[in-house]
Amino acid sequence: MSQKLSSLVTAIGETLTQEKEALINGQEELRQEREKLQAEIDAMTKDGIAEDEILELNVGGETLMVKRSTLLLAPEEGHLNAMFSGRWDNSLSRDTKDRIFLNITPYVFRVILSNLRALQLEDMPNKGRNLKIKPEFERELNAVCKYFGIFDPQTPTLINLIAMKACCCHNSVDDKNVVTHTATSNAHAAVVSKEKIEDGTYWKIKILTLKKNNWIYAGIVADETPVALSYCDSTSFGWAGNKQVYSKGTKGSNSSNHEGWNGWNSGDEAIFKLETTNLKMYHKRLNKLFTLPSLPIEMATSWRMHLNLYSTGDKVEILIPTDEEVSLID
């Protein structure tokens, strides 16, 4: 019995010794890490590295000036923040003028810089924001964001009911989001969304009443308070009655027939999608997808859903498209 007790005491002693050694080793590793970090801080201070330092970068052959503090707004755990923390300045690739060189398309990096600068100005910065860019650069933006560990370049799918507001007394919008032309005589009258809509937004319209299948307009506009002839606004893109299609407020030639577009009928339903440079519409009766290309990129943050009614009593309902309807346009 005494022999077993002695063996147990010996085993416990050996275990305690091992744990003590492990603790000492852990403390030593921690001390070394602290010394390494302090050495990096000392080196940064010695070299005069400061967050307000202005860096001159060579990005794909184009010179860009940016504060180090702007780049350090990138997530701390990401590669971009680490690159410009000052710890790795001596190991970064440089050009013949000693400027840090980044092998990235300048336009792509400017989009990233623009969003980082916005973070400096916002009261409640959103580091999980989605970036918008021309379609031909989307692949590179995805790769760069993934590599640097910043933002989310993917466009979100936005499927919510879009509340509308009348731009004059000739239209009304009820609590079911039905737009009605209320004038005593026929006259053009505009309706726009209360809020701006984003890239990736979907919506649906259903024409409840259209007198003599005459004229109605549906699309987008970048003007919050357009005039009665809103479809002629220079920022207007959309489809109207009588085979009319408008781009930048200009009606296209009827002879082109615009991919087979022939106008609206009472009971028509259509699903819309706003993309960075395209407005798409899937028309159910025609069983056809229509596209208006070349939306101005500078208006990407200003778009509003847009309707224009003409005949007294005409009604259009704004709805949320189903997943199946969304798939028709994608």
Side-chain angles (χ1 to χ4, degrees):
M1 185 71 177
S2 60
Q3 185 176 356
K4 290 183 178 181
L5 181 60
S6 177
S7 298
L8 180 60
V9 170
T10 301
I12 292 174
E14 291 175 351
T15 300
L16 290 173
T17 299
Q18 293 173 357
E19 291 179 351
K20 182 179 179 181
E21 291 176 351
L23 180 60
I24 293 173
N25 291 335
Q27 291 175 334
E28 177 61 20
E29 291 177 1
L30 180 60
R31 184 189 65 78
Q32 292 175 0
E33 287 295 325
R34 285 177 175 171
E35 289 180 353
K36 181 180 178 181
L37 178 59
Q38 186 59 50
E40 291 176 351
I41 294 173
D42 292 343
M44 292 167 63
T45 304
K46 180 180 178 181
D47 293 338
I49 293 171
E51 289 192 0
D52 285 339
E53 178 186 3
I54 296 176
L55 301 177
E56 187 175 3
L57 308 178
N58 179 343
V59 182
E62 181 176 308
T63 302
L64 296 178
M65 309 288 285
V66 59
K67 280 188 175 183
R68 188 184 293 271
S69 59
T70 300
L71 298 169
L72 293 180
L73 285 170
E76 293 182 4
E77 65 276 11
H79 188 52
L80 184 66
N81 187 293
M83 280 181 66
F84 293 99
S85 64
R87 290 176 286 175
W88 314 109
D89 279 14
N90 293 332
S91 61
L92 297 177
S93 298
R94 294 179 180 269
D95 64 10
T96 54
K97 294 184 178 180
D98 200 37
R99 297 174 299 196
I100 296 173
F101 177 77
L102 299 177
N103 190 27
I104 301 171
T105 300
Y107 168 61
V108 172
F109 197 69
R110 285 200 304 271
V111 169
I112 293 172
L113 277 184
S114 176
N115 281 270
L116 286 173
R117 285 166 176 151
L119 292 179
Q120 290 181 309
L121 303 174
E122 293 172 343
D123 293 332
M124 299 179 66
N126 175 20
K127 293 192 177 184
R129 69 175 62 226
N130 301 98
L131 305 190
K132 298 179 177 64
I133 199 167
K134 294 178 181 179
E136 59 266 34
F137 294 99
E138 287 179 354
R139 183 178 178 185
E140 182 178 357
L141 179 65
N142 273 274
V144 171
C145 285
K146 184 177 180 181
Y147 177 74
F148 281 146
I150 51 174
F151 302 119
D152 179 3
Q154 299 298 328
T155 301
T157 297
L158 303 173
I159 308 177
N160 299 299
L161 184 61
I162 300 175
M164 307 296 289
K165 65 176 182 179
C167 298
C168 71
C169 60
H170 294 326
N171 283 330
S172 67
V173 183
D174 65 18
D175 56 2
K176 294 183 180 180
N177 225 23
V178 174
V179 178
T180 302
H181 192 293
T182 57
T184 56
S185 61
N186 296 342
H188 286 288
V191 178
V192 298
S193 56
K194 290 183 178 180
E195 305 294 337
K196 297 173 185 177
I197 57 176
E198 300 180 34
D199 178 13
T201 299
Y202 296 81
W203 67 95
K204 173 184 175 181
I205 69 168
K206 181 176 181 179
I207 300 179
L208 303 179
T209 305
L210 186 60
K211 298 293 182 65
K212 298 181 181 180
N213 290 333
N214 194 346
W215 195 95
I216 198 172
Y217 171 98
I220 58 174
V221 70
D223 189 343
E224 183 180 1
T225 56
V227 297
L229 302 182
S230 57
Y231 50 92
C232 292
D233 188 292
S234 62
T235 65
S236 172
F237 290 79
W239 295 266
N242 302 326
K243 300 182 180 181
Q244 297 173 4
V245 178
Y246 288 83
S247 180
K248 295 183 179 180
T250 301
K251 182 175 66 174
S253 170
N254 285 339
S255 60
S256 67
N257 208 28
H258 301 290
E259 303 177 297
W261 173 247
N262 60 14
W264 299 98
N265 289 348
S266 182
D268 276 353
E269 296 182 13
I271 297 90
F272 294 77
K273 181 186 181 183
L274 176 62
E275 298 180 339
T276 304
T277 57
N278 297 310
L279 176 63
K280 291 183 177 180
M281 176 185 71
Y282 178 81
H283 193 281
K284 283 192 171 183
R285 173 174 55 85
L286 299 177
N287 190 27
K288 189 173 180 65
L289 178 65
F290 298 88
T291 301
L292 283 176
S294 305
L295 301 185
I297 191 79
E298 64 271 15
M299 296 178 186
T301 59
S302 302
W303 296 121
R304 293 175 186 268
M305 183 189 160
H306 175 207
L307 296 174
N308 192 293
L309 281 61
Y310 176 73
S311 299
T312 300
D314 283 353
K315 293 184 178 182
V316 179
E317 184 177 10
I318 294 85
L319 301 161
I320 301 174
T322 65
D323 290 343
E324 182 179 354
E325 288 171 330
V326 167
S327 68
L328 295 173
I329 205 167
D330 284 337

